[in-house]
mmCIF file of all heavy atoms in Angstrom:
data_model
loop_
_atom_site.group_PDB
_atom_site.id
_atom_site.type_symbol
_atom_site.label_atom_id
_atom_site.label_comp_id
_atom_site.label_asym_id
_atom_site.label_seq_id
_atom_site.Cartn_x
_atom_site.Cartn_y
_atom_site.Cartn_z
ATOM 1 N N ASN A 125 99.914 -6.012 28.223
ATOM 2 C CA ASN A 125 100.908 -5.034 27.763
ATOM 3 C C ASN A 125 100.755 -4.897 26.203
ATOM 4 O O ASN A 125 101.037 -5.787 25.438
ATOM 5 C CB ASN A 125 102.336 -5.518 28.102
ATOM 6 C CG ASN A 125 103.369 -4.487 27.726
ATOM 7 O OD1 ASN A 125 103.066 -3.395 27.226
ATOM 8 N ND2 ASN A 125 104.628 -4.908 27.843
ATOM 9 N N SER A 164 91.786 -16.795 11.839
ATOM 10 C CA SER A 164 91.281 -17.053 10.488
ATOM 11 C C SER A 164 89.848 -16.615 10.344
ATOM 12 O O SER A 164 89.114 -16.527 11.463
ATOM 13 C CB SER A 164 91.439 -18.534 10.075
ATOM 14 O OG SER A 164 90.790 -19.333 10.988
ATOM 15 N N PHE A 242 128.563 -99.667 17.367
ATOM 16 C CA PHE A 242 127.810 -100.662 16.534
ATOM 17 C C PHE A 242 128.566 -101.037 15.302
ATOM 18 O O PHE A 242 128.621 -102.226 14.847
ATOM 19 C CB PHE A 242 126.465 -100.092 16.245
ATOM 20 C CG PHE A 242 125.624 -100.990 15.383
ATOM 21 C CD1 PHE A 242 124.994 -102.102 15.827
ATOM 22 C CD2 PHE A 242 125.483 -100.705 14.008
ATOM 23 C CE1 PHE A 242 124.227 -102.891 14.965
ATOM 24 C CE2 PHE A 242 124.777 -101.412 13.133
ATOM 25 C CZ PHE A 242 124.085 -102.593 13.679
#
Side-chain angles (χ1 to χ4, degrees):
N125 183 7
S164 61
F242 175 77

